[in-house]
Amino acid sequence: MDIISLEKIEKTYIQGKLEVKALRGIDLNIGTGEFTAICGPSGSGKTTLLNIIGCLDNPTSGKALVTGKDISTLNATQLSNLRLHRIGFVFQAYNLVPVLTAYENVDLVLSLQGRPKNERTERVIKVLKEVGLSDLASRRPAEMSGGQQQRVAVARALVAEPSLILADEPTANLDSQTGKSLLKLMRQLNEEHGVTFLFSTHDSMVMDFSRRIVRIVDGTVAEDYVKDSRGESIETTSINQQV
Amino acid sequence: MLIFKIAARNIWRRKFRTIITMTAIGISFSMLLFFEQLHLGQHEMMANSGMRLSAGNIVIQGKGFNQNRELSSRVRNPDKHIEVLKKNFNSLHIIKRIFTSGNLTSPDGNIVVDTINGTEHAQEGKISDLKPKLIAGKWLSGNAGEIVIGAVAAKLLKVEIDSKVQLSMPDLGGNVVRTALRVRGIFKTGSTDTDRGYALVNIDEAAKLLNLGNAVSQIAIFTDLEKSTQVTHQIRKLIDDPSLEIMDWKDALPTLSQFMLVDKISMYVFLIIIFIIVAAGVLNSVLMSVMERTREFGVLKSIGMKPTSILNLIIIESALVGLLSIVFGFIVGQTISYIVYRYGIDPASLFGGESVEVAGVSMTEKIRTKITLWSVVWTSASVLLLTIISAIPPALRAARIIPVKAVREL
Ligand SMILES: Nc1ncnc2c1ncn2[C@@H]1O[C@H](COP(=O)(O)OP(=O)(O)OP(=O)(O)O)[C@@H](O)[C@H]1O
Ligand SMILES: [Mg+2]
C-alpha cells in the first residue's frame, strides 16, 4: 500500500487581491520504504507540497491520503496526533529546542507520546548511537555543528519509529561534505528501518543519493523517475514537460 | 516532565531580562507584604489603645449608651451577666465601668473632664495603657477618695500627688453631686485630649455618688481581637436582653473603625497600582519571549506538541518567574517588616509633632508591623496568581502559532 497518495492536489495562496497558485494539480503516490527526493527550482512548490503531506497545511482542493488517512477528514488534534505518532520532521535549520540537550531533544517526542521512562531511555540511546552522536548526547544545540544538529534532528524524527520522515532541504545549510554524510546516514536508516523518506532539495548531489526523484516545476510534477544503483535512470513514470 | 525542564531553562535564556522582571515583581511584592503587615500592626495598635480607654473587644452597655453616653443608659444587673460570661467562656478579661463627665476643681483651677472612668482598679490596671505611663504617684488602690488624672490636667489645676481636688458631676437624677478626692497618680500619654480630659476613680465610689446602685455603664470584655466578632455573636445568644446593646469594638468605636476602613481602602488602591505594574511587566516580558521563539514553537507544534502543552509551558515559565520573585521579595519584605516589628517606627517622627491623634486615638506608642502567616499567604498567592494570569494572553498567542508560518518566518 502507498503511504502517500495525492490526487489532483491544488494549493492557492491568497495574498490580498493576488492569487498565487503554488500547486496546480499534483498526482503522486509514494510507497512504503521509498527514499524519494523532490526537486525543482525555487518557488516551484516543494515546501508547500511537503507541508500538505506533513499535515501542516490544507490543500485548496484535491485528495491527500497520508498513512492511509484522508487528511481533510481529520480535526486539529487528530492531525497533531498523526504528526506525533506517524511522521518525523527535519527542517532546514533551527530544528531543535535550544535549551535541551541532544538527548533531551530526541527524548521530547517520546515524552510527548507519553511513553514510559525506561523505554524512552533505551530508544534514545539506541537512536543517538545510530546517528553517531552517542558522545554528544549531553550537548546543547549551540554547542554542536550544523551537521551534528541535523543528525540530532534526524534522530528525533526517527526515534518514535514513524512511518514517514519528511525533510525540507535538510542539507541546505550544510557544506557539501557534511550534507553528503547526512544523506548517507538517512539512506542507511531508510534501508535498515524501512522508514519512508521524502525530502526536498535543489542540490544535485542530493539527487545522486536518491532512488526516486520527483521534479516539480511551477506546481506540477514535471518528471518522476527511479534510478538504479549506478545512478542511471531506469524508469520514468510521468514526463509532463511544459517548460 | 520534560515540559518543566524546558520551562525552568527557558527562564534563564535571557538572564538580564528575567532578572529585571523578577526584581520588579519581587520589589513590588516586598512592598505589598511590608505595607500590609504595617497596616495590620498599626490598626491593631490603634484598635487596642482605643479600646482600652473607652471600650473593650466587646462591650455590653445599656441600650443607646454608645450614642448618648448618658447614665440613664445603663446595665442594671452586671454581675448576673458576668456570671453567665464566666460560665460559658474561660479566658475573658472583664471590667465593669461607669462612664460620665464632670468638673475638677482645685484652689488654683477648674477643668472639664470629658471622661471620668469609674472602674475596677485591679481589672483596669491589667489592661490599661495608662498604668505604665504614670509619671508620678500610683495606680488606684480601691480605697475611697482616690483619683488618677493626666499630666495636662494636673498642670492646669496646679496639683501634685496627694493634692486635694473636688469632683462635681450630675448624678442619675440630674442633681449635681460633689466629692473631695486626693490625686493618687498622674499619667502622661503625650496626647493632650487624654492627658487633660480623662480621669479614673474607683467604681464603688462612683456608683454611690451617682446613685446608680448596682448598675454600670459598660461591661468591657477583652479577648483575642480577631475573635471578637465571633464571640460577640455567641454572647448575644447567651444574654438576650432588649435593654442592652452588645457590640464588638468596630461598632463600639465607629470613628476608629471607619478610619481603619478608609485606610484599608487606600491600601487596596496601592495594591491595585502594584498589581498593574506587575501585570504590565509580566505581560511585556512574556510577550517578548514568545515572539522571539515563534519558530521554536512552530517546530514544536510541527512535531506534534499540542497547543495546550505550549500554553502550559508558557504558564509554567511565568509561574516559575513569579515564584522566584516571591521568594526574593519575601526575603526583602519580611526582613524590613521584621526590623520594623523589632524596633518600631515612632509615629511622631513619621507625622511630625509630639503626639499624633488619629480618629480620636492618640498614637503614643511606636508603630510596629504585625507578622501573620495569612498576610504572607494572601499577598504571595495573589502576586503568583497575577503573574500567571498576565502570562495567559501571550501564552495563547504562542499556542495559536501556525507551524507553516512560523517555520517559514526565519
Ligand atoms: N504563505 C504564503 N503566502 C503566499 N504565497 C506563498 C506562501 N507560501 C508560499 N507561497 C508561494 O508559493 C509558491 C511555492 O512556494 P514554496 O515555498 O512551496 O516553494 P519551494 O519550491 O519550496 O521554494 P524554495 O526552493 O525556494 O524553498 C511560491 O511562489 C511562493 O511565493
Ligand atoms: Mg522551500
Side-chain angles (χ1 to χ4, degrees):
Chain A
M1 196 195 75
D2 291 338
I3 193 162
I4 298 166
S5 171
L6 305 180
E7 233 178 82
K8 299 196 187 71
I9 293 292
E10 295 190 354
K11 178 72 185 179
T12 308
Y13 291 109
I14 300 182
Q15 264 189 331
K17 281 179 189 164
L18 219 74
E19 282 195 356
V20 183
K21 289 205 167 184
L23 299 177
R24 306 162 184 259
I26 299 261
D27 294 307
L28 183 66
N29 289 292
I30 292 185
T32 304
E34 283 193 26
F35 194 79
T36 308
I38 295 175
C39 60
S42 186
S44 57
K46 304 182 292 294
T47 300
T48 306
L49 184 62
L50 281 180
N51 285 345
I52 288 169
I53 296 169
C55 306
L56 295 168
D57 210 350
N58 302 314
T60 312
S61 68
K63 191 172 173 186
L65 298 181
V66 178
T67 69
K69 294 197 176 72
D70 184 344
I71 62 167
S72 64
T73 64
L74 303 179
N75 66 25
T77 310
Q78 290 169 323
L79 289 173
S80 168
N81 277 328
L82 184 66
R83 294 199 298 270
L84 180 59
H85 294 279
R86 307 298 301 275
I87 307 173
F89 288 90
V90 179
F91 298 101
Q92 185 175 332
Y94 307 107
N95 269 292
L96 307 174
V97 179
V99 295
L100 295 182
T101 63
Y103 180 95
E104 291 161 341
N105 264 289
V106 177
D107 189 30
L108 179 62
V109 178
L110 298 176
S111 166
L112 290 174
Q113 288 183 348
R115 307 274 183 125
K117 183 86 187 168
N118 50 352
E119 183 196 334
R120 276 158 51 187
T121 313
E122 197 179 303
R123 286 233 225 157
V124 175
I125 289 173
K126 180 168 166 269
V127 77
L128 280 175
K129 196 172 168 193
E130 281 184 288
V131 300
L133 288 179
S134 298
D135 296 341
L136 306 184
S138 60
R139 289 217 194 157
R140 295 208 187 171
E143 300 157 351
M144 288 186 279
S145 72
Q148 288 164 343
Q149 288 182 39
Q150 289 303 72
R151 277 165 187 262
V152 178
V154 170
R156 184 189 63 192
L158 194 69
V159 72
E161 292 176 343
S163 330
L164 172 66
I165 292 179
L166 299 175
D168 192 7
E169 310 207 27
T171 60
N173 278 28
L174 306 177
D175 63 69
S176 64
Q177 205 51 41
T178 320
K180 205 178 220 167
S181 77
L182 185 75
L183 281 162
K184 252 187 199 158
L185 172 71
M186 297 206 301
R187 186 66 199 263
Q188 190 190 330
L189 295 170
N190 163 254
E191 277 161 9
E192 283 167 10
H193 294 261
V195 56
T196 314
F197 271 84
L198 179 64
F199 50 92
S200 74
T201 186
H202 34 217
D203 184 345
S204 61
M205 190 255 314
V206 177
M207 294 174 233
D208 294 343
F209 273 92
S210 317
R211 287 264 306 148
R212 179 177 171 189
I213 292 165
V214 177
R215 170 177 291 280
I216 293 191
V217 177
D218 228 1
T220 54
V221 177
E223 214 178 349
D224 182 353
Y225 58 95
V226 178
K227 298 183 302 180
D228 67 5
S229 49
R230 278 167 299 167
E232 300 298 318
S233 174
I234 55 169
E235 183 191 333
T236 304
T237 320
S238 99
I239 299 178
N240 206 2
Q241 299 286 55
Q242 287 177 328
V243 187
Chain B
M1 257 292 269
L2 209 47
I3 233 176
F4 280 96
K5 218 181 247 178
I6 302 178
R9 290 185 194 163
N10 270 332
I11 63 176
W12 298 115
R13 224 155 127 179
R14 294 259 187 257
K15 279 199 187 66
F16 187 68
R17 188 164 71 206
T18 303
I19 286 169
I20 294 282
T21 310
M22 291 204 318
T23 310
I25 303 173
I27 297 288
S28 306
F29 169 66
S30 68
M31 277 163 64
L32 185 64
L33 182 66
F34 169 68
F35 282 112
E36 167 65 9
Q37 295 183 343
L38 187 67
H39 263 76
L40 282 178
Q42 189 193 345
H43 284 183
E44 188 174 85
M45 189 191 86
M46 286 172 66
N48 281 337
S49 58
M51 276 178 320
R52 286 179 194 129
L53 280 181
S54 59
N57 298 127
I58 305 158
V59 293
I60 301 175
Q61 297 167 163
K63 190 136 214 105
F65 179 78
N66 221 51
Q67 290 285 322
N68 59 35
R69 314 287 298 177
E70 279 173 8
L71 290 173
S72 56
S73 303
R74 60 197 188 275
V75 183
R76 284 168 204 270
N77 273 314
D79 295 326
K80 190 183 90 190
H81 302 315
I82 290 171
E83 203 149 297
V84 173
L85 293 176
K86 285 195 170 151
K87 216 159 51 186
N88 286 281
F89 302 95
N90 43 25
S91 63
L92 299 181
H93 185 73
I94 301 169
I95 311 171
K96 288 190 284 182
R97 286 163 168 171
I98 294 169
F99 284 117
T100 188
S101 53
N103 276 293
L104 270 182
T105 319
S106 76
D108 297 310
N110 178 17
I111 59 165
V112 175
V113 181
D114 295 323
T115 307
I116 298 165
N117 180 5
T119 187
E120 299 179 288
H121 66 99
Q123 303 291 81
E124 187 81 44
K126 275 185 198 150
I127 57 101
S128 180
D129 285 334
L130 303 177
K131 191 177 175 185
K133 290 193 175 141
L134 287 173
I135 51 168
K138 290 185 176 139
W139 190 245
L140 297 174
S141 70
N143 295 328
E146 302 172 332
I147 187 165
V148 171
I149 58 173
V152 175
K155 200 173 160 199
L156 290 169
L157 294 167
K158 298 200 176 72
V159 294
E160 298 170 353
I161 298 302
D162 277 343
S163 301
K164 268 194 181 160
V165 290
Q166 191 183 56
L167 173 64
S168 57
M169 54 200 176
D171 72 357
L172 185 60
N175 308 309
V176 175
V177 294
R178 292 187 177 79
T179 186
L181 301 166
R182 261 180 212 284
V183 176
R184 176 154 171 94
I186 298 173
F187 59 81
K188 186 177 180 188
T189 63
S191 151
T192 312
D193 277 1
T194 308
D195 291 348
R196 175 191 167 126
Y198 192 97
L200 297 122
V201 297
N202 288 304
I203 188 165
D204 297 339
E205 197 161 19
K208 213 156 91 193
L209 261 169
L210 297 166
N211 284 317
L212 279 171
N214 280 333
V216 297
S217 306
Q218 179 185 74
I219 301 171
I221 302 160
F222 291 85
T223 177
D224 288 342
L225 191 62
E226 286 83 14
K227 281 196 207 151
S228 38
T229 309
Q230 181 203 338
V231 176
T232 307
H233 288 303
Q234 292 170 347
I235 294 176
R236 275 191 194 137
K237 275 186 205 140
L238 290 167
I239 303 172
D240 185 19
D241 185 337
S243 74
L244 300 178
E245 54 187 26
I246 300 170
M247 50 178 108
D248 65 6
W249 65 272
K250 284 178 201 150
D251 292 327
L253 302 165
T255 38
L256 182 64
S257 59
Q258 267 159 32
F259 166 80
M260 280 160 61
L261 185 70
V262 171
D263 206 34
K264 229 177 205 160
I265 290 168
S266 67
M267 171 77 190
Y268 288 130
V269 171
F270 174 70
L271 187 126
I272 288 166
I273 293 170
I274 291 229
F275 276 14
I276 291 171
I277 296 171
V278 170
V282 172
L283 192 86
N284 177 49
S285 78
V286 177
L287 193 63
M288 263 158 68
S289 96
V290 164
M291 304 254 276
E292 66 193 19
R293 284 191 282 161
T294 302
R295 192 192 154 89
E296 195 178 318
F297 293 130
V299 171
L300 286 173
K301 274 186 107 173
S302 299
I303 66 167
M305 199 176 206
K306 303 278 182 306
T308 46
S309 303
I310 290 174
L311 190 84
N312 288 344
L313 176 67
I314 309 289
I315 302 276
I316 293 168
E317 278 179 33
S318 71
L320 284 175
V321 170
L323 231 88
L324 288 173
S325 316
I326 286 166
V327 170
F328 160 70
F330 175 77
I331 293 168
V332 175
Q334 202 59 79
T335 306
I336 297 170
S337 186
Y338 181 74
I339 292 168
V340 174
Y341 164 74
R342 195 59 206 280
Y343 300 102
I345 300 174
D346 195 353
S349 76
L350 210 61
F351 302 105
E354 197 192 321
S355 97
V356 183
E357 259 173 75
V358 182
V361 176
S362 60
M363 311 225 299
T364 52
E365 282 176 50
K366 285 184 170 175
I367 301 173
R368 292 173 199 276
T369 50
K370 184 176 184 194
I371 298 166
T372 63
L373 183 63
W374 176 240
S375 65
V376 177
V377 170
W378 84 257
T379 51
S380 44
S382 53
V383 169
L384 183 62
L385 197 69
L386 188 78
T387 49
I388 290 172
I389 290 171
S390 320
I392 288 176
L396 283 173
R397 195 188 161 115
R400 291 202 195 107
I401 281 171
I402 297 166
V404 268
K405 279 194 189 159
V407 174
R408 216 178 262 276
E409 279 165 20
L410 230 165

